Amino acid sequence: LDKFLTAISLFGHFQVSVPMVVITALVLLVFKKEKEALFIFFTMGSSIISPGVKYFVNRPRPSKNLVRVIEVTHQQSFPSGHTLFYTVFFGFIIYLMFRLNEANFYLRLIVGLMCAFMVIFVFFSRIYLGAHWLSDVLAGYLLGRMWLYAVIYFYELKHYKS
């Protein structure tokens, strides 16, 4: 379980998340989805929200004398940046899988389920690894939902439609 949940959290580390966003945008560009590629970059707004809130809340992470810490991290705890990013990035991909009807149904279903899996399991991963408290991941999820709704709102505006 340690290795599995560590692997789930891997995609939230900056060195992995940024290339993942760029590659996803490039794949969308290959399929002539310029607007979608642009909005994939807006999911990275979560990397601004999380440090800002962490700075003001300034909550320490769980310590080794209270919980089993598998992943040692150095930033503050509240909110979970991993959960925030996964909710926005993978959530927007789930949204696109419902929105882009011209893509193969089974491909959209598989991609959507994989993304939902990531959003659900990062929640447990961050707590299990000792990186966050429950309230940290709940806050990351709620902030992520708000940013995701904002990205979808602007994506849907007629002014931005292709």
Side-chain angles (χ1 to χ4, degrees):
L1 198 56
D2 291 7
K3 288 181 182 179
F4 172 70
L5 292 175
T6 299
I8 293 292
S9 282
L10 178 69
F11 300 97
H13 295 290
F14 199 72
Q15 337 44 322
V16 177
S17 63
V18 172
M20 185 171 61
V21 168
V22 170
I23 290 167
T24 303
L26 290 173
V27 168
L28 288 166
L29 286 173
V30 166
F31 289 99
K32 309 232 183 294
K33 297 293 179 189
E34 294 87 5
K35 179 180 172 184
E36 290 75 9
L38 173 65
F39 276 82
I40 281 291
F41 280 109
F42 293 151
T43 66
M44 289 299 294
S46 62
S47 63
I48 297 167
I49 296 168
S50 178
V53 175
K54 284 179 189 289
Y55 175 79
F56 287 108
V57 174
N58 198 25
R59 176 193 279 170
R61 293 200 180 257
S63 61
K64 290 182 181 186
N65 62 337
L66 295 174
V67 299
R68 178 175 173 242
V69 176
I70 298 168
E71 182 178 303
V72 177
T73 53
H74 302 290
Q75 293 179 334
Q76 295 302 84
S77 183
F78 186 93
S80 167
H82 279 70
T83 305
L84 199 161
F85 172 71
Y86 281 47
T87 302
V88 179
F89 177 74
F90 291 114
F92 189 63
I93 293 175
I94 292 167
Y95 170 78
L96 288 177
M97 292 303 100
F98 284 101
R99 188 80 165 73
L100 302 175
N101 293 328
E102 65 270 11
N104 178 285
F105 171 78
Y106 293 106
L107 175 65
R108 291 185 296 127
L109 179 65
I110 291 167
V111 170
L113 288 173
M114 288 172 49
C115 289
F117 174 87
M118 295 300 286
V119 172
I120 292 166
F121 275 91
V122 75
F123 191 90
F124 301 107
S125 169
R126 302 311 292 160
I127 296 169
Y128 178 86
L129 296 174
H132 289 285
W133 301 107
L134 175 63
S135 56
D136 300 338
V137 293
L138 286 172
Y141 176 72
L142 292 174
L143 288 169
R145 289 286 298 254
M146 291 189 319
W147 187 253
L148 174 60
Y149 289 151
V151 170
I152 291 171
Y153 174 81
F154 287 108
Y155 174 83
E156 287 294 334
L157 279 178
K158 284 190 178 199
H159 174 53
Y160 290 102
K161 290 203 175 177
S162 307

